[in-house]
Amino acid sequence: MKKFLSLLICLVMTLSMASCGGNGAVGSASSEEPSSTVSSAPVLSEPESSSAESSEAEPPAAAYPVTVTDQAGREVAIEEEPQRLVSGYYISTSVLIALGLEEKLVGVEAKADKRAIYKLSAPGLMELPSVGTAKELDLEGCAALEPDLVILPLKLKSAAETLEGLGIKVLLVNPEDQELLSGMIELLGTAANAADRAQELLDFTAEQQAMLADKLAGAETPTVYLAGNSSLLSTAGDAMYQSDMIRLAGGVNAASEITDTYWAEISYEQLLTWNPDYIVLASDADYTVEDVLSDANLADCAAVANGQVCQLPGKAEAWDSPVPSGILGAVWLAGVLHPEAVTEGEAADVIDAYYETFYGFTYSEN
C-alpha cells in the first residue's frame, strides 16, 4: 500500500509541476497569497436538491453536499459529512477539539504528545499517527490514513494540491488575526457538521470582547511590548494576532508601527525608544521575567524601572497565539493592565468557564 501511495503521489506531483510550470516543492510557503488577501469566512452554496417532504417535527439534517471557500480562497466541495479527519496544524486541532470532533481525528501534527491541552482534554490524540509539521507534510503517511477531510495551514498549499490530486479533500486555514481565526472556526464548523458548536464558541468570544469593551471604556491605554518565545528582542508587529490581544486588553502594541512583516527582530535601542509601560513575555519564552528585570541594557526602560514585566500563563496552551482560547489572553492581560476594571477573580472565572464548556476540564484545578 505504501509503495502504491508513493508511486501515486510522485505521479500527482509530477503532473502538478508540469501543469503549473513552477516549483512543486511540498511545504514551501506561498509568496503570492499574503494573509491580508485571503478569504476569512466560508461561503455556502445551495444544495443541489432539497426535500420538501422532510418532517417539520425533526431538526433538519446537515445539507450535504456543501461547498465552502477556505482561507486560501479555494472552493472545496464536500460531498458527505466527513468521518475521518486529519489536522496538520496545532491550531486547527485545537479548534476541532473545541467543536467536539476529536473522536473523528485519525491523524494530527507532529509532537502532539508535547501539547498540554491535548493531555487535559483529549489524551487519545497523543497516540494518533503524526502527519508531519506545519512546514512539511508527510504526504504518504497522510494519504495512508484515508481521510475524508484534511486541514492544513496556508503555507502547505502545494501539499494540498497533491492530496487533492489523490481525491482527498483539503481545507487551507490561516488564522493570523482575530477575524481570520473566527473565519476558520466558522469554516471548520460548516465543513464538518458542527456549525452550532462553532457558533457557541464564537458567541463566547464575542461576549468576552463585549465585556472588555464595556469595562475598559474610557480607560487609559498603556503601551505593551510583547516579547517572543526565543528572544526578548523578537516581537509581533501590527499584522499579528498578538496585536489584537493587546488592543482587546485595553493596551497599545508598542510595535504597532511594524506593518511590513509578522515577527520582527529589533535592537535594544529600538525597545528603549518605544519605552513601553509593560513588557509581556510569551507564555513559552525560554528566558524569564527575572532575566528581563536584571538586564542592564533595560535599566532605563519604564516597564523595567516600574517592575511591570510579566509572562503570559501557559499551563494549558499559548494564549498569545491564534488558538480559539486566545480571547483568554486578552481577558488575563486586561486584569494586568487594568486590575481595577477586570479583577483577578473575574478573569479566573472566565477562564474556567471556557475550558469547562469547550474542553471538559477546569483550568484552575490543573
Side-chain angles (χ1 to χ4, degrees), residues 216-226 242-256 274-280 302-303 306 308 310 330 333-341:
L216 302 178
E220 295 183 1
T221 52
T223 55
V224 179
Y225 176 82
L226 183 74
Q242 290 85 346
S243 200
D244 285 341
M245 181 188 71
I246 293 169
R247 175 181 53 79
L248 289 169
V252 174
N253 184 1
S256 60
W274 287 336
N275 196 29
D277 298 306
Y278 289 83
I279 294 177
V280 179
N306 296 323
Q308 295 182 154
C310 58
L333 184 57
V336 173
L337 305 182
H338 305 283
E340 73 291 345

Side-chain angles (χ1 to χ4, degrees), residues 202-280:
L202 293 171
D203 287 346
F204 183 96
T205 298
E207 289 167 6
Q208 305 319 311
Q209 290 176 336
M211 178 273 290
L212 291 173
D214 179 62
K215 287 182 174 290
L216 302 178
E220 295 183 1
T221 52
T223 55
V224 179
Y225 176 82
L226 183 74
N229 57 6
S230 60
S231 169
L232 170 68
L233 298 178
S234 175
T235 192
D238 195 53
M240 291 293 284
Y241 178 87
Q242 290 85 346
S243 200
D244 285 341
M245 181 188 71
I246 293 169
R247 175 181 53 79
L248 289 169
V252 174
N253 184 1
S256 60
E257 67 187 57
I258 300 175
T259 59
D260 59 344
T261 188
Y262 293 112
W263 285 101
E265 299 297 325
I266 66 163
S267 64
Y268 277 111
E269 182 181 12
Q270 178 63 76
L271 182 51
L272 290 171
T273 297
W274 287 336
N275 196 29
D277 298 306
Y278 289 83
I279 294 177
V280 179

Side-chain angles (χ1 to χ4, degrees), residues 342-352:
V342 180
T343 68
E344 183 177 349
E346 288 173 326
D349 287 345
V350 169
I351 293 166
D352 275 348

